Amino acid sequence: MREWDASTYDRVSDPQTRWGALVLDRLVLSGAETVLDAGCGSGRVTEQLVARLPRGRVVALDASQAMVAQARERLAALQGQVRFVVADLLELRPALLGTAAPVDAVFSTATFHWVTDHDLLFANVAGVLRPGGQLVVQCGGEGNIANLQTAVRALGVELAGSWEFASVEDTRRRLSAAGFEDAQVWSHDEPTRFPPGEPFLDFLATVCLREHLPTLPPAEHGPFLSAVAAAMAEPVLDYVRLNIVARRSGPR
Ligand SMILES: C[S@@+](CC[C@H](N)C(=O)[O-])C[C@H]1O[C@@H](n2cnc3c(N)ncnc32)[C@H](O)[C@@H]1O
């Protein structure tokens, strides 16, 4: 299920945009680097990344055509600095990026947990990154949205999405196996409150439950979303963020 409702995501993704801005601060940039935004979505965080690279370039990559189209629209005035690529990170190859050399950094927010094979993911990312290049990532980690998962289970749905909410330990091991060093990996709780009613239901439909809803007849979407919200004590998602700052090994 590659496609997203990109215009709604653009509207509801204030939490991801807020977190993304903080993660951006972890990139060490001179302003002239080439950076891959791995899972650029509708481009709200990408836009902030481009602003930090006045002499550099961004490759904005996403598996969803709708997301890339939305990002292209948002970043229309910056086309000279951004190359857009529709591709699956599990099929990532240097030739897909259209850059003359490996990129200086790979940046990714709110994306890696949607990719279920992290061994292959990290190997692919290492393959497009120059030796010494930075990997700066934040995604959902072990325990992410546990209260939502409890609510959907109470309604008889065992798993509402195909995510990899990896642990810190597994991630350290995978990074090392893929050829990363100086890895700092940690997780933190990020409970996020939503305005009740439609804004919360819109967010659930567009992000957390986007894979499960299409398994139901359209007429049942609204009642299911309302039942999930009712099964939760309050409109708060128990987000847990997994953070990664690492370097690809090799001479700098
Ligand atoms: C929640 S959005 C995050 C977008 C943006 N980085 C942000 O922080 O707002 C997750 C994005 O990951 C993309 N994605 C999921 N799996 C992917 C994969 N295997 N390859 C490339 N992109 C993927 C989705 O299409 C979606 O745009």
Side-chain angles (χ1 to χ4, degrees):
M1 222 213 124
R2 284 188 176 203
E3 281 311 326
W4 285 63
D5 176 346
S7 59
T8 307
Y9 181 77
D10 196 62
R11 175 166 58 77
V12 303
S13 54
D14 285 356
Q16 288 87 346
T17 305
R18 192 171 64 246
W19 304 332
L22 297 174
V23 180
L24 260 183
D25 286 339
R26 298 175 188 156
L27 270 176
V28 180
L29 297 172
S30 72
E33 292 85 355
T34 298
V35 180
L36 168 64
D37 186 355
C40 64
S42 65
R44 290 179 65 180
V45 182
T46 321
E47 190 173 28
Q48 301 178 44
L49 173 61
V50 178
R52 294 181 187 217
L53 294 164
R55 302 175 307 288
R57 286 180 63 77
V58 170
V59 180
L61 178 147
D62 202 282
S64 159
Q65 303 225 17
M67 285 292 211
V68 171
Q70 189 78 31
R72 219 183 254 283
E73 202 179 306
R74 171 177 285 278
L75 303 171
L78 304 166
Q79 295 272 358
Q81 265 185 284
V82 188
R83 183 184 159 86
F84 297 94
V85 177
V86 178
D88 189 327
L89 287 166
L90 291 179
E91 289 160 15
L92 185 62
R93 299 284 175 273
L96 284 174
L97 303 188
T99 50
V103 297
D104 298 301
V106 175
F107 171 78
S108 182
T109 54
T111 294
F112 278 17
H113 56 277
W114 292 102
V115 185
T116 48
D117 186 342
H118 278 200
D119 291 307
L120 181 56
L121 173 63
F122 290 138
N124 286 355
V125 165
V128 301
L129 189 56
R130 71 164 167 78
Q134 302 168 75
L135 175 66
V136 173
V137 174
Q138 187 183 80
C139 62
E142 188 174 30
N144 198 40
I145 57 172
N147 66 336
L148 175 65
Q149 300 205 62
T150 302
V152 295
R153 276 195 202 111
L155 299 172
V157 177
E158 189 42 39
L159 195 60
S162 52
W163 304 290
E164 169 63 358
F165 294 143
S167 69
V168 168
E169 295 71 27
D170 285 346
T171 301
R172 281 202 189 109
R173 182 181 46 74
R174 287 168 173 153
L175 286 168
S176 170
F180 288 94
E181 61 186 18
D182 297 340
Q184 299 169 55
V185 184
W186 73 101
S187 72
H188 72 271
D189 293 343
E190 193 72 59
T192 302
R193 180 173 293 277
F194 294 82
E198 208 177 320
F200 187 47
L201 303 189
D202 270 358
F203 188 91
L204 292 178
T206 309
V207 182
C208 313
L209 300 176
R210 59 174 276 278
E211 290 190 331
H212 180 68
L213 282 185
T215 69
L216 303 174
E220 289 178 25
H221 291 191
F224 179 74
L225 290 166
S226 299
V228 171
M232 296 176 71
E234 46 184 359
V236 173
L237 290 172
D238 284 348
Y239 273 110
V240 177
R241 311 318 286 162
L242 175 72
N243 301 282
I244 302 170
V245 177
R247 285 194 179 274
R248 197 195 142 188
S249 37
R252 298 186 186 173

